[in-house]
Amino acid sequence: MLSSPRTTDTGAAGAGPRIPVAVAAPDPISHEGAVSHLRRHPGIELREESGPGTVVLLIEDALDEAALTRLRRVARSEGTRAVLVVGTIRENELLDVIECGVGAIVWRREATAHRLVQAVLAASRGDGDLPSDLLGRLISQVGTLHRGVPGRPGTPALGLAPREVDVLRLVAEGLDTGEIASKLSYSERTVKNVMHGLTTRLHLRNRAHAVAYALREGYI
């Protein structure tokens, strides 16, 4: 899902394997604080280094050029998923962050244990987890870009099918897989297959990137 934070059960480890998580922070206090929060959750396994299947929690005060370079390197590493914990994001940086593969963002001022775990779990599933104010800014920014390019001459030939648009519209509204399935009278497996099919076909990193694409191309 791509949504603002909602109350979820992050206290149960579940039956699946533990999620490997690596923390990258600019200072020891931030690093140890994040590690302390995450190690309390039984479904998370902390790692010193990232690798395939790892969620990387990247902590930054702001996105200067060096921070953006670190973020791109982490987000584009094969098999990893990124969670960005950041103090501020400028308007011109937000779409770049989403399009390089970051689907979960947490404000530093809101980085409680619950929020960090929630974002890590969302990232591990390939879902999106954005603060509500950032979601609104993303939609506004992509809408502005769409209106500013008359005729859309560069629109890719590979478009979206009607049911893909229906699913993405509900993802953008913050519904999770079960809620989308209920709304559209699909099974949850069908919703997952639709999302997997379009992200694979269009080479999109995750649900947040898929919503950004659909907004940019004027589908929603």
Side-chain angles (χ1 to χ4, degrees):
M1 67 180 169
L2 177 64
S3 65
S4 58
R6 68 176 70 193
T7 301
T8 57
D9 179 10
T10 57
R18 298 168 73 194
I19 300 166
V21 179
V23 176
D27 60 85
I29 292 177
S30 296
H31 182 275
E32 289 306 312
V35 167
S36 176
H37 282 329
L38 293 173
R39 69 158 53 101
R40 303 174 191 173
H41 192 277
I44 288 175
E45 177 186 351
L46 290 165
R47 300 275 182 89
E48 291 294 326
E49 297 181 356
S50 62
T54 304
V55 175
V56 179
L57 186 79
L58 186 64
I59 303 172
E60 300 287 354
D61 290 317
L63 292 179
D64 57 19
E65 193 55 43
L68 283 170
T69 298
R70 288 192 292 272
L71 179 62
R72 292 187 186 106
R73 184 170 60 247
V74 167
R76 292 171 181 171
S77 297
E78 185 175 356
T80 64
R81 298 184 185 275
V83 173
L84 175 63
V85 181
V86 69
T88 60
I89 296 180
R90 295 191 296 266
E91 293 292 337
N92 62 334
E93 297 165 341
L94 180 56
L95 194 57
D96 287 339
V97 168
I98 296 298
E99 292 193 331
C100 80
V102 178
I105 301 174
V106 179
W107 291 124
R108 288 196 67 157
R109 62 183 178 271
E110 298 175 353
T112 62
H114 174 81
R115 279 295 295 122
L116 291 181
V117 169
Q118 184 182 48
V120 166
L121 295 178
S124 73
R125 297 189 301 265
D127 290 348
D129 188 350
L130 302 185
S132 56
D133 56 334
L134 277 188
L135 180 57
R137 282 163 58 184
L138 175 64
I139 292 172
S140 175
Q141 184 180 2
V142 178
T144 300
L145 287 173
H146 174 67
R147 290 191 297 273
V149 185
R152 308 296 294 161
T155 300
L158 293 175
L160 297 178
R163 75 171 182 171
E164 291 175 334
V165 175
D166 290 340
V167 169
L168 280 177
R169 185 175 292 113
L170 295 176
V171 171
E173 291 176 5
L175 277 65
D176 63 24
T177 299
E179 292 167 333
I180 294 170
S182 176
K183 199 90 169 176
L184 297 177
S185 299
Y186 292 162
S187 68
E188 291 192 24
R189 180 180 294 275
T190 296
V191 174
K192 291 177 182 178
N193 287 343
V194 168
M195 288 301 306
H196 177 74
L198 74 91
T199 54
T200 300
R201 188 178 76 256
L202 299 174
H203 306 290
L204 303 170
R205 294 274 301 189
N206 50 39
R207 291 189 178 197
H209 193 185
V211 169
Y213 169 86
L215 286 163
R216 183 193 286 276
E217 300 302 327
Y219 287 102
I220 59 177

